[in-house]
């Protein structure tokens, strides 16, 4: 049967505590072909661009760009502070795009309480700390 017309089969028990209540509609995936096209468009454009560079400049330039993208993607700030990823944006050309996130929903404009940086760092480093006990 075609993957789009077949019903999803339950192969692994659904974990309610981690994933919440599940429905078969969530497991189907794309509801429309245009949704799949929109989701895959940036990745396909990147592959076309790299293939064009490979044909023009050779295979070393796309390999170097992939290595730079990997290096710049790993750079981040401490937990709790959002990284701007300016190097990755300049490499990918996202600096020229002005989107919804450019002027709305910036972390500096939020009114929520910032999380404790110490507890986030302990969680990232997987340090187990015992709660402080008071001697009474």
């Amino acid at each position: 049967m075609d993957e789009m017309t077949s019903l999803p089969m339950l192969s692994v028990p659904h974990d309610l505590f981690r994933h919440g209540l599940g429905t078969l509609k969530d497991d189907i995936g794309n509801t429309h072909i245009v949704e799949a096209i929109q989701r895959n468009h940036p990745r396909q454009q990147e592959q076309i661009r790299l293939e064009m560079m490979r044909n023009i400049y050779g295979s070393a330039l796309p390999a170097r760009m992939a290595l730079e993208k990997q290096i710049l993607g790993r750079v981040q700030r401490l937990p709790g502070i959002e990284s701007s990823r300016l190097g990755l944006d300049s490499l990918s050309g996202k600096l020229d795009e002005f989107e919804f996130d450019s002027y709305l929903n910036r972390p500096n404009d939020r009114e929520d309480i910032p999380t404790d940086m110490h507890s986030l760092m302990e969680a990232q480093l997987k340090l187990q700390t015992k709660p402080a006990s008071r001697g009474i």
Side-chain angles (χ1 to χ4, degrees), residues 80-108:
I81 303 174
E82 187 173 338
S83 298
S84 65
R85 308 219 182 228
L86 184 63
L88 189 60
D89 288 346
S90 66
L91 183 67
S92 65
K94 288 185 182 177
L95 288 177
D96 299 333
E97 299 173 2
F98 190 73
E99 297 178 350
F100 178 79
D101 295 335
S102 299
Y103 63 96
L104 292 176
N105 198 21
R106 293 182 7 207
N108 298 338

Side-chain angles (χ1 to χ4, degrees), residues 2 25 27-28 31 43-44 58 65 80 106 113 115 129 132 135:
D2 186 22
K25 183 179 178 185
D27 298 335
I28 290 175
T31 56
R43 184 178 33 174
Q44 289 176 346
M65 289 181 66
R106 293 182 7 207
I113 299 170
T115 56
T129 59

Side-chain angles (χ1 to χ4, degrees), residues 60-71:
L61 182 64
R64 179 179 176 185
M65 289 181 66
L67 183 64
E68 289 175 356
K69 183 177 179 182
Q70 185 181 24
I71 290 170

Side-chain angles (χ1 to χ4, degrees), residues 1-129:
M1 283 183 88
D2 186 22
E3 193 172 300
M4 290 295 287
T5 59
S6 66
L7 289 174
M9 300 294 285
L10 183 63
S11 59
V12 179
H14 185 75
D15 190 1
L16 291 175
F17 291 117
R18 290 192 181 117
H19 306 293
L21 295 174
T23 62
L24 290 178
K25 183 179 178 185
D26 295 336
D27 298 335
I28 290 175
N30 299 333
T31 56
H32 198 273
I33 188 97
V34 176
E35 183 180 356
I37 292 171
Q38 288 178 340
R39 186 178 300 130
N40 295 331
H41 181 71
R43 184 178 33 174
Q44 289 176 346
Q45 289 298 321
E46 181 69 19
Q47 289 175 351
I48 290 171
R49 189 172 70 96
L50 288 176
E51 186 65 32
M52 183 176 62
M53 285 184 184
R54 187 174 294 114
N55 291 337
I56 295 172
Y57 300 111
S59 62
L61 182 64
R64 179 179 176 185
M65 289 181 66
L67 183 64
E68 289 175 356
K69 183 177 179 182
Q70 185 181 24
I71 290 170
L72 291 172
R74 280 190 279 165
V75 175
Q76 64 182 12
R77 293 182 180 163
L78 289 174
I81 303 174
E82 187 173 338
S83 298
S84 65
R85 308 219 182 228
L86 184 63
L88 189 60
D89 288 346
S90 66
L91 183 67
S92 65
K94 288 185 182 177
L95 288 177
D96 299 333
E97 299 173 2
F98 190 73
E99 297 178 350
F100 178 79
D101 295 335
S102 299
Y103 63 96
L104 292 176
N105 198 21
R106 293 182 7 207
N108 298 338
D109 298 336
R110 293 186 187 152
E111 295 180 0
D112 56 350
I113 299 170
T115 56
D116 182 26
M117 193 177 306
H118 295 289
S119 61
L120 290 174
M121 194 67 188
E122 287 175 357
Q124 182 181 8
L125 296 175
K126 298 176 183 164
L127 298 174
Q128 299 294 329
T129 59

